[in-house]
Amino acid sequence: MGKKMLNFEEQCKIVNLLKSSSEQKSIEETLTEFFTNPKLRHFNVCYSLSLLLQDKMMLSSTERLVAFAILHRSYSSQKSAANPFISFLVNAACDEGAENYERAFILHLLGFGNSNSSKEFLKQSASEYIKKFDPSSQTFPQKEQLQKQYLEKAHPEPYACLLKSTAVKNVLADPDVPPGCDVNSAEFDLEPGAKSKLGSGDRDEALSGLIANLSLEGLIPHWIRPLPPRFPVDEELVWLNPDNNHELQWDQGMCADTSRGAAVRDLIAKALRGPLAPNQQEQVLVELANDPKLVYHCGLTPRKLPELVESNPLIAVDVLIKLINSPEIAEYFTVLVNMDMSLHSMEVVNRLTTAVELPKEFVRTYITNCISSCENIKDKYMQNRLVRLVCVFLQSLIRNRIIDVKDLFIEVQAFCIEFSRIREAAGLFRLLKTLE
Amino acid sequence: MDLRDSSPSSTPNRDGNAGDDDGVLSVTSALAKDAALYFQSRKFAECVDVLNQLNSKKENDPKVLHNIAIAEFFRDGCSDPKKLLEVLNNVKRSEELALASGEQVESGSNIGNNITSGSKGSGTTTSLPASNCASIIYADEFDSSVASLNIAVIWFYLHEYAKALSVLEHVYQNIEPIDETTALHICLLLLDVLLACRDASKSADVLNYMEKAFGVGNVSQGENDLAASVNASESPLSRTLSEDPLDEMFSTLDIGGQNLARHTGLTSANDLPRITVDRSISGVDLKLKLQLYKVRLLLLTRNVKLAKREVKHAMNIARGRDSSMALFLKAQLEYARGNHRKAIKLLMASSNRTDAAMSSMFNNNLGCIYYQLGKYHTSAVFFSKALSNCSSLQKEKPLKLLTFSQDKSLLITYNCGLQYLACGKPLLAAHCFQKASLVFYKRPLMWLRLAECCLMAVEKGLVKGSWAPSDRSEVRVSVIGKGRWRRLLIENGTTRNRHVDSVERDVWALGDDGQPKLSLPLARQCLYNALHLLNCSELSNSKSILPSDSSLEENELSDGASSKNSNYKNLPSNDSKASTMPAALINLNGDLKEPKGGTNQEGIQTFISYYEDICRRENQMIKQALLANLAYVELELENPLKALSAARALLELPGCSRIYVFLGHVYLAEALCLLNKPKEAAEHLSIYLSGESNIELPFGLEDCEQWQVKKHIDCEEANVGAAAAKNSSPEGLEDFMFLKPDEARGTLYANLAAVSAIQGDLERAHHFVTQALSLVPDSSEATMTAIYVDLMLGKSQEAVSKLKHCSHVRFLPSNQQFNKSS
């Protein structure tokens, strides 16, 4: 459903123009008359005419001349190269199959070989031109020569889609004549008043039909653009299963008795400041055992852990064991591993290792810290004490298979050698040897 | 007991007016006890009365306000969940506020004597996992976990899973301090939410945690626990056992038994809310629940083999209990395995037809089964039945909270949309998808479907401005003049620029029904939405460890060959892969918790990473479809540049399927051609050339397999009992709406001909177009190209005869309007 090229007025204009070509009016006159309408769309008109001209049969010889004249005149105010139909004109002028008078007429239009480029020839009518035409008076130049003269300085083509610019005329001749008959024979022209016979037709009817239906769009190669397939439905359908029932919960904590928790909290606060009396310690352990969640509410934070470890290592062990699933446990471990080495911290770690599975990294880091603490201590007495402690601690870890000696072998060996003067270090060294 | 009074609480607000007075304390706790009793016996009006008394004694106590809100909600027939949410959120906020201020007091008082506090900050041990040292609670009074749980419960029932999840995940991070009952409820709800969000990895985590924390795993023998069963499945013996026909018999026996018991079980579960101080779920119940969660997880991860074992186990536990869930899951399992008849039988055994909620699910699932069987009209009947069950459910009074979640109408509506799409009714389908988008708006696939609706509507000429389908594939020729003067004028001469002028530019232009009108710009918008969502999810998943692409490819090859019947052909078998992907065993979700078990955990992680592979591959497939559709839409909208980039992106996707590679090349070539680069266009098409002028099949039949409906017609219609099933005519009208491999080859020939013609190589064009016409004789495009080539070669006679022989040409009498009026 391409757009129609010509509006109704233009169609009339063209039909009238073609009719008048056979009259005894001069071509010049016909042209002037044609261009009186300022609203005429020159390109559309010219393009239609060029399509009709391409159909060799459709237009009569006089009509063709007038049509060529229009093609030329429409753009005559500009340079010839700017005429969009210039190559069409040049090609027509060089068409060996065309009548010589037609070719000569186009050459005249183009002003070829005529320096004074007189417009005299337009003063006659088209039929006069044909009648007076003298074939010997005209020489026909080579196509290349014409192209050189009229096309060379043509503007670079403006951007146009190749697909569209390669369009070919979309009108096909499909003569409907009995097989074996000459299509060009005038016998098939409809005589006015005569009975129509098979294969006959009226040229004027076809012409006006064409003029009415011509479209700007030609025929182009077509591209197949497949529609993408619908995405397969595989797991997409929603299968429904019965829901689990989730009820809204009553908050049992409303006005609940929290005194027991408060007691433990007080005791823990006390435990940070100094060792608890045995019965108090007992109370804390019992309360913590009774309520597994109490440990989270007893007021201990990672920051306070070192105080608890130093003052009440047993409570610290118990609390840490209970917190082992807490998301905060890693933080507690971080604090533990970084606090100053002491008998109590080592005791806590040692007990922890037997009670729960500690992260390997934690144990490793702790041992490394132990060893470096021993090396850095200045006070000889304190150093001896600490080294002995570390050795006992390590032996215990190794014997209980808490650590894999291989992980720390070099480090521990170096430690043993450095402190070989101390009996426990020598013992640890022997233990290492037996494991090798 | 009185210790608390002697030491004034360090926390400011809570006991402020009760702290000094024994009398008040005992009065409030007595009132609290009364209120709880009323609540348990569902006397909500009385309960609210008591709570109001309590409130006057302890003004603005968040817990009292919380319980008032809950009790009032029940008293008013669960009518306004949004209002309850508001109150609960306020409660939660004030509790958290109180907690924070309590902590400040606490830490402030301790700074003085906290000598070693520095050591924490200066930690040199970087290797230990840095935990989130956010607000860890010890002040139980301000524990907001119950409020959080209730908030999540409401979101869950409103199908707002993402919101429920964000509340629950926060609580779950810190679950240890929370008391057992609440923690259990939190975990159960979290599991449901995670499964609804299809998060397999976190579900497995929670399940694993529950088996440990609630002692269920220990009760059963080792094989019950998830990890162990994964490992066990690798022994070939267990697999062969489960194929035993005797087993099937046992499970059918089970069904019979449960049928009797179910009614009582179901009603009691619905009517009696278990609000008790003690653990509300008995050991066996919990065990069954966890077992069923496990099955759901396995089904989600498409581990059919294991799911089969586990569901059997669940049936054993469920003996004599409410097991409709187990039966539905078993039916789902059989559905997933393509045993549709068995699935139908199981559903029939389980359905409680009097219960609207149950029958809506029952009908929906039958609809799914018939869809998979390619009986779209039958499935439509079941889906619409399911929907009408839903609407009767909404009318039930008094409302129960569960009613909200039992209203699955949006989910069923989505299924309806798919079914309409399959039946070629894009307008109805789009209506469904737009409705369902309330729930599905985050799923890329939903947007793709909406775009497909647009394309189908345009294709069928249902959209204003688009051509009717007959017009589109047709060449219109005006016959002008008679006799020797007869001329043929080919209309429809140029590119199919059918939409640009006519279609409204406003993407979301609303139609009369208030829904966006289907159009190509809307399709484009939908595709962009889907791509965006997909890219987001890819970003968030990128931290997980991907196995290399090459190993993926290997699987694809071997799977395609081995298991063609299975729906789950993408799932690699467990044993073959275990060794190749050790990296994937690392905790995938980056959870803080240390990997708990040793080797067992690995088994779970392995099958979860398989599942993640599947998801990744599915997402890749979706992405291919999205980009192909996008390139197509941009071409239709005459945006060759955008089409070009979409097609390029499509071809750059790793592991692109051959069909989409073909489309990518075709679209890319056309876009290049429209951009005046015929040479490059020809190069893209030439990759299918072998030798000078022979084109290979761009894809094989096996590539189309995914699109074909798996029709194991193992279904005896008569047994179904539904009248609708009987009038099942041969359906599957639009089973596979794409080119067959040969037609695709013809398309390539035709397009190569077009490109050659544009380049002026008419000889070649002639050769290609002749080939094309032998493969796709009906293609009007190929015919037009052939005619063009003939005309260019000056063979107008042949052009005319081609035109006359083409089946898609319509000859129109010439328009004589001009003559008459002149």
Side-chain angles (χ1 to χ4, degrees):
Chain A
M1 244 175 264
K3 276 189 212 144
K4 295 280 183 285
M5 181 147 43
L6 301 170
N7 59 35
F8 183 66
E9 202 178 335
E10 288 160 344
Q11 291 172 24
C12 295
K13 203 87 187 167
I14 290 185
V15 170
N16 289 336
L17 166 82
L18 296 176
K19 262 186 203 152
S20 65
S21 71
S22 56
E23 293 163 15
Q24 289 308 313
K25 236 184 262 178
S26 77
I27 300 174
E28 185 63 46
E29 230 173 307
T30 318
L31 290 180
T32 333
E33 198 177 301
F34 186 75
F35 286 112
T36 47
N37 185 352
K39 275 193 263 170
L40 213 60
R41 292 173 302 172
H42 287 195
F43 182 81
N44 290 26
V45 168
C46 293
Y47 190 57
S48 315
L49 288 175
S50 76
L51 287 178
L52 293 176
L53 283 168
Q54 281 176 52
D55 189 327
K56 296 260 153 69
M57 289 166 60
M58 194 50 85
L59 298 181
S60 70
S61 48
T62 51
E63 286 167 345
R64 289 179 69 85
L65 292 194
V66 173
F68 277 121
I70 299 270
L71 285 192
H72 179 254
R73 178 61 64 89
S74 289
Y75 296 91
S76 60
S77 59
Q78 302 158 43
K79 274 192 213 156
S80 66
N83 186 337
F85 298 97
I86 188 67
S87 59
F88 178 74
L89 290 172
V90 167
N91 286 340
C94 307
D95 184 358
E96 306 273 345
E99 299 288 348
N100 279 341
Y101 58 79
E102 188 176 303
R103 298 173 63 191
F105 182 75
I106 298 171
L107 290 174
H108 267 126
L109 282 174
L110 294 172
F112 179 77
N114 247 357
S115 49
N116 54 0
S117 85
S118 82
K119 297 287 176 195
E120 278 305 308
F121 70 101
L122 292 177
K123 297 255 163 72
Q124 47 197 334
S125 73
S127 46
E128 274 168 2
Y129 181 87
I130 295 169
K131 222 181 286 168
K132 290 180 186 168
F133 177 71
D134 173 12
S136 59
S137 71
Q138 184 71 45
T139 53
F140 293 104
Q142 289 296 304
K143 192 175 186 179
E144 287 71 30
Q145 193 186 347
L146 282 176
Q147 281 175 334
K148 208 173 163 196
Q149 186 167 349
Y150 295 104
L151 292 178
E152 206 158 40
K153 282 162 251 149
H155 298 288
E157 287 247 338
Y159 177 85
C161 178
L162 253 182
L163 249 181
K164 287 177 184 164
S165 60
T166 51
V168 75
K169 184 179 69 125
N170 61 345
V171 183
L172 295 176
D174 180 30
D176 179 22
V177 294
C181 295
D182 180 11
V183 170
N184 294 322
S185 147
E187 71 170 292
F188 294 114
D189 277 338
L190 199 62
E191 299 296 330
K195 202 176 162 223
S196 73
K197 59 180 169 179
L198 189 67
S200 66
D202 178 16
R203 186 197 75 118
D204 289 346
E205 181 197 330
L207 186 58
S208 55
L210 267 182
I211 290 173
N213 284 295
L214 283 175
S215 67
L216 271 173
E217 295 159 342
L219 182 63
I220 55 163
H222 275 229
W223 195 275
I224 300 185
R225 183 188 296 161
L227 185 72
R230 257 190 309 121
F231 195 72
V233 174
D234 210 8
E235 299 300 316
E236 200 180 347
L237 288 166
V238 187
W239 179 277
L240 297 178
N241 287 317
D243 284 307
N244 285 304
N245 197 8
H246 296 281
E247 280 294 341
L248 292 173
Q249 296 297 309
W250 179 262
D251 194 336
Q252 304 291 344
M254 178 177 73
C255 307
D257 174 19
T258 52
S259 54
R260 224 172 35 166
V264 170
R265 204 172 332 169
D266 287 345
L267 284 175
I268 291 283
K270 220 177 266 175
L272 298 176
R273 296 191 286 270
L276 290 182
N279 66 324
Q280 286 175 321
Q281 192 169 322
E282 186 62 22
Q283 191 192 345
V284 171
L285 295 181
V286 168
E287 297 271 12
L288 285 179
N290 283 342
D291 181 352
K293 300 295 171 189
L294 189 56
V295 68
Y296 295 99
H297 311 298
C298 67
L300 186 67
T301 63
R303 241 177 355 173
K304 298 175 188 166
L305 181 67
E307 296 157 52
L308 187 64
V309 168
E310 288 307 328
S311 313
N312 290 283
L314 282 183
I315 294 182
V317 170
D318 194 59
V319 166
L320 285 176
I321 289 172
K322 291 200 158 60
L323 283 173
I324 199 71
N325 284 327
S326 153
E328 258 198 332
I329 190 68
E331 204 175 331
Y332 280 104
F333 284 151
T334 313
V335 172
L336 189 57
V337 96
N338 285 309
M339 66 182 280
D340 295 333
M341 280 314 136
S342 71
L343 174 59
H344 281 172
S345 98
M346 243 177 274
E347 188 184 350
V348 167
V349 174
N350 195 27
R351 278 175 188 263
L352 275 180
T353 57
T354 56
V356 291
E357 194 181 328
L358 292 175
K360 276 219 164 61
E361 261 320 295
F362 167 75
V363 180
R364 251 190 89 113
T365 318
Y366 189 79
I367 292 171
T368 312
N369 283 3
C370 283
I371 290 174
S372 62
S373 293
C374 291
E375 287 160 354
N376 294 339
I377 211 162
K378 294 286 176 289
D379 185 323
K380 268 279 178 253
Y381 172 74
M382 290 303 287
Q383 189 181 47
N384 281 0
R385 228 178 90 100
L386 195 59
V387 169
R388 284 164 65 194
L389 260 176
V390 170
C391 289
V392 173
F393 173 63
L394 283 174
Q395 283 189 22
S396 153
L397 290 183
I398 293 170
R399 288 222 170 84
N400 291 324
R401 298 176 192 280
I402 305 298
I403 55 167
D404 190 350
V405 196
K406 273 178 239 138
D407 294 342
L408 287 160
F409 192 80
I410 294 173
E411 225 175 330
V412 175
Q413 205 178 31
F415 170 76
C416 290
I417 291 167
E418 183 176 356
F419 296 103
S420 55
R421 62 199 154 82
I422 297 166
R423 192 154 45 93
E424 281 79 0
L428 178 61
F429 189 74
R430 275 195 300 278
L431 180 63
L432 284 180
K433 283 292 154 198
T434 62
L435 291 172
E436 241 179 318
Chain B
M1 279 306 240
D2 292 335
L3 263 174
R4 134 168 244 103
D5 295 326
S6 63
S7 63
S9 165
S10 56
T11 48
N13 161 332
R14 165 134 168 83
D15 285 339
N17 39 9
D20 301 321
D21 193 346
D22 259 343
V24 178
L25 182 65
S26 58
V27 167
T28 52
S29 60
L31 283 173
K33 221 172 262 172
D34 284 352
L37 280 174
Y38 278 128
F39 186 78
Q40 279 167 51
S41 47
R42 302 186 74 80
K43 292 178 179 161
F44 299 116
E46 292 88 335
C47 178
V48 172
D49 282 346
V50 176
L51 285 171
N52 280 332
Q53 289 176 40
L54 201 52
N55 192 31
S56 66
K57 293 201 161 41
K58 296 176 60 121
E59 219 164 304
N60 289 331
D61 181 302
K63 291 204 181 314
V64 176
L65 294 176
H66 170 274
N67 285 345
I68 288 178
I70 300 282
E72 281 180 342
F73 179 71
F74 280 119
R75 185 194 62 190
D76 301 340
C78 306
S79 52
D80 194 352
K82 289 273 157 75
K83 185 184 139 203
L84 176 59
L85 263 180
E86 206 172 294
V87 177
L88 291 183
N89 274 320
N90 284 337
V91 166
K92 190 176 163 221
R93 216 168 301 132
S94 71
E95 284 192 300
E96 279 163 357
L97 216 64
L99 176 67
S101 66
E103 270 189 342
Q104 258 169 19
V105 171
E106 190 70 15
S107 56
S109 70
N110 277 299
I111 281 173
N113 51 9
N114 196 352
I115 310 153
T116 52
S117 64
S119 64
K120 176 186 161 193
S122 66
T124 49
T125 55
T126 48
S127 51
L128 282 179
S131 88
N132 58 337
C133 46
S135 56
I136 297 301
I137 312 127
Y138 65 85
D140 48 350
E141 294 101 310
F142 298 106
D143 169 27
S144 60
S145 59
V146 178
S148 301
L149 169 64
N150 285 334
I151 290 169
V153 165
I154 297 165
W155 282 132
F156 173 75
Y157 281 137
L158 295 176
H159 299 286
E160 296 273 11
Y161 301 124
K163 285 178 181 158
L165 186 60
S166 79
V167 175
L168 284 176
E169 276 194 314
H170 185 75
V171 185
Y172 181 72
Q173 295 247 309
N174 201 6
I175 190 130
E176 283 301 329
I178 298 170
D179 74 276
E180 295 281 308
T181 315
T182 314
L184 179 63
H185 286 300
I186 287 169
C187 287
L188 290 173
L189 182 61
L190 182 56
L191 265 179
D192 269 320
V193 171
L194 284 171
L195 286 170
C197 294
R198 308 206 276 182
D199 189 330
S201 154
K202 280 185 192 155
S203 303
D205 243 32
V206 176
L207 204 50
N208 199 43
Y209 169 75
M210 286 187 76
E211 283 180 341
K212 282 207 178 69
F214 298 99
V216 182
N218 301 340
V219 181
S220 60
Q221 301 83 11
E223 66 148 17
N224 271 346
D225 105 340
L226 185 59
S229 58
V230 173
N231 295 338
S233 80
E234 277 162 22
S235 94
L237 189 64
S238 63
R239 228 175 300 145
T240 46
L241 264 179
S242 61
E243 304 298 332
D244 194 328
L246 267 182
D247 272 5
E248 300 300 340
M249 225 172 78
F250 283 130
S251 43
T252 32
L253 281 178
D254 283 352
I255 297 163
Q258 277 137 12
N259 252 338
L260 295 172
R262 186 172 0 91
H263 291 272
T264 51
L266 195 68
T267 44
S268 67
N270 277 350
D271 291 348
L272 273 183
R274 290 175 284 232
I275 306 147
T276 51
V277 191
D278 308 320
R279 196 190 246 198
S280 55
I281 303 173
S282 82
V284 189
D285 276 340
L286 181 59
K287 200 172 146 191
L288 175 59
K289 259 183 199 283
L290 290 186
Q291 186 67 21
L292 292 176
Y293 279 118
K294 199 186 293 177
V295 174
R296 283 168 66 190
L297 173 61
L298 290 167
L299 280 172
L300 172 70
T301 55
R302 318 217 183 142
N303 199 331
V304 187
K305 226 173 263 174
L306 257 189
K308 196 174 174 205
R309 265 170 49 108
E310 296 299 321
V311 83
K312 203 169 290 169
H313 197 82
M315 291 297 213
N316 286 336
I317 304 174
R319 214 173 280 275
R321 277 164 213 277
D322 164 33
S323 70
S324 51
M325 166 97 96
L327 278 167
F328 267 67
L329 286 173
K330 199 157 193 255
Q332 187 183 5
L333 174 68
E334 296 302 339
Y335 166 74
R337 300 170 77 211
N339 296 334
H340 295 128
R341 195 170 77 186
K342 211 184 266 178
I344 292 174
K345 271 188 182 157
L346 284 162
L347 283 179
M348 303 291 290
S350 74
S351 156
N352 177 356
R353 304 286 173 78
T354 54
D355 180 52
M358 285 300 278
S359 40
S360 79
M361 292 184 257
F362 168 78
N363 284 322
N364 172 73
N365 293 348
L366 278 183
C368 292
I369 293 172
Y370 279 101
Y371 185 100
Q372 295 289 7
L373 287 170
K375 304 205 171 295
Y376 303 125
H377 296 303
T378 314
S379 87
V381 172
F382 281 114
F383 285 142
S384 69
K385 267 191 188 175
L387 280 177
S388 71
N389 292 143
C390 279
S391 59
S392 73
L393 190 68
Q394 283 158 342
K395 285 177 205 127
E396 267 177 30
K397 294 275 173 182
L399 283 171
K400 279 177 284 182
L401 189 51
L402 194 59
T403 313
F404 288 103
S405 78
Q406 280 176 334
D407 180 11
K408 313 267 189 183
S409 53
L410 290 180
L411 309 182
I412 301 167
T413 304
Y414 187 85
N415 288 346
C416 279
L418 285 176
Q419 171 263 318
Y420 281 130
L421 203 55
C423 293
K425 296 175 183 166
L427 298 183
L428 289 172
H431 194 73
C432 289
F433 289 131
Q434 277 158 355
K435 247 187 179 172
S437 66
L438 281 174
V439 179
F440 288 86
Y441 65 98
K442 280 209 165 161
R443 295 224 191 136
L445 210 44
M446 196 278 297
W447 292 105
L448 173 58
R449 293 298 179 200
L450 208 48
E452 285 178 347
C453 290
C454 293
L455 288 184
M456 188 186 275
V458 168
E459 193 65 19
K460 288 186 175 258
L462 300 172
V463 171
K464 197 180 138 207
S466 75
W467 292 11
S470 58
D471 291 346
R472 291 192 49 158
S473 58
E474 209 175 53
V475 182
R476 294 153 67 93
V477 175
S478 299
V479 183
I480 294 166
K482 285 198 206 92
R484 83 174 258 229
W485 297 108
R486 190 168 68 185
R487 295 292 183 273
L488 300 178
L489 191 140
I490 304 170
E491 288 185 12
N492 185 14
T494 46
T495 41
R496 309 179 287 176
N497 60 342
R498 351 174 226 214
H499 311 292
V500 177
D501 354 307
S502 47
V503 174
E504 282 143 290
R505 286 300 180 160
D506 182 5
V507 173
W508 297 105
L510 297 182
D512 301 331
D513 53 354
Q515 302 287 341
K517 276 186 200 161
L518 300 190
S519 66
L520 284 171
L522 179 64
R524 172 168 58 188
Q525 191 56 49
C526 292
L527 293 171
Y528 277 128
N529 285 355
L531 276 173
H532 176 74
L533 288 170
L534 210 55
N535 289 339
C536 285
S537 77
E538 262 171 25
L539 271 183
S540 65
N541 286 336
S542 60
K543 58 184 174 209
S544 62
I545 300 108
L546 314 179
S548 71
D549 269 352
S550 61
S551 73
L552 275 180
E553 234 103 33
E554 265 169 44
N555 281 328
E556 233 149 21
L557 289 178
S558 61
D559 289 342
S562 60
S563 55
K564 291 201 169 152
N565 299 340
S566 162
N567 272 353
Y568 297 130
K569 59 179 143 197
N570 288 333
L571 186 69
S573 58
N574 258 344
D575 30 14
S576 69
K577 268 303 275 292
S579 57
T580 62
M581 36 192 316
L585 304 183
I586 298 164
N587 227 357
L588 278 172
N589 56 351
D591 201 297
L592 272 176
K593 293 178 178 64
E594 296 288 333
K596 278 159 195 153
T599 50
N600 283 351
Q601 194 68 20
E602 291 174 12
I604 297 175
Q605 291 303 344
T606 317
F607 87 66
I608 285 184
S609 57
Y610 290 147
Y611 170 64
E612 281 167 356
D613 278 353
I614 294 172
C615 294
R616 224 175 350 260
R617 236 172 297 169
E618 274 177 0
N619 282 344
Q620 276 177 2
M621 263 300 275
I622 296 175
K623 200 165 190 182
Q624 294 169 29
L626 289 174
L627 288 172
N629 277 284
L630 191 60
Y632 177 85
V633 168
E634 295 291 7
L635 283 174
E636 291 278 303
L637 290 171
E638 300 201 331
N639 294 323
L641 262 179
K642 285 184 179 169
L644 187 75
S645 71
R648 280 232 165 92
L650 172 61
L651 289 174
E652 278 162 13
L653 287 183
C656 203
S657 89
R658 290 176 75 196
I659 287 185
Y660 285 117
V661 169
F662 160 74
L663 285 176
H665 283 299
V666 171
Y667 296 151
L668 186 59
E670 183 175 359
L672 284 169
C673 212
L674 290 169
L675 293 168
N676 286 356
K677 294 177 177 170
K679 202 162 156 259
E680 285 176 50
E683 276 164 21
H684 268 283
L685 296 177
S686 302
I687 64 154
Y688 290 110
L689 272 179
S690 77
E692 254 308 285
S693 53
N694 185 38
I695 288 182
E696 293 166 347
L697 287 179
F699 52 85
L701 272 176
E702 70 277 5
D703 296 302
C704 309
E705 212 169 69
Q706 233 174 331
W707 273 268
Q708 275 147 358
V709 180
K710 298 146 198 121
K711 280 188 190 165
H712 323 270
I713 310 285
D714 62 349
C715 161
E716 296 154 27
E717 250 86 88
N719 284 355
V720 179
K726 281 173 192 149
N727 54 18
S728 58
S729 52
E731 292 174 43
L733 309 158
E734 327 224 351
D735 271 350
F736 181 65
M737 306 239 308
F738 193 61
L739 305 173
K740 295 184 181 59
D742 252 344
E743 293 169 336
R745 192 159 157 246
T747 300
L748 288 170
Y749 271 123
N751 289 349
L752 256 179
V755 158
S756 307
I758 289 167
Q759 288 175 293
D761 189 346
L762 295 173
E763 287 291 306
R764 216 165 138 80
H766 183 72
H767 164 79
F768 285 136
V769 85
T770 314
Q771 296 286 330
L773 280 178
S774 72
L775 289 165
V776 283
D778 281 346
S779 158
S780 58
E781 288 95 343
T783 309
M784 293 293 271
T785 304
I787 290 169
Y788 173 87
V789 172
D790 280 343
L791 288 178
M792 290 298 276
L793 291 170
K795 304 177 189 167
S796 58
Q797 298 277 323
E798 288 175 36
V800 170
S801 89
K802 280 207 180 84
L803 201 56
K804 286 181 176 169
H805 285 107
C806 175
S807 57
H808 285 285
V809 172
R810 186 140 61 106
F811 289 96
L812 308 162
S814 81
N815 181 356
Q816 292 300 336
Q817 186 188 41
F818 170 72
N819 266 0
K820 279 168 204 154
S821 55
S822 64

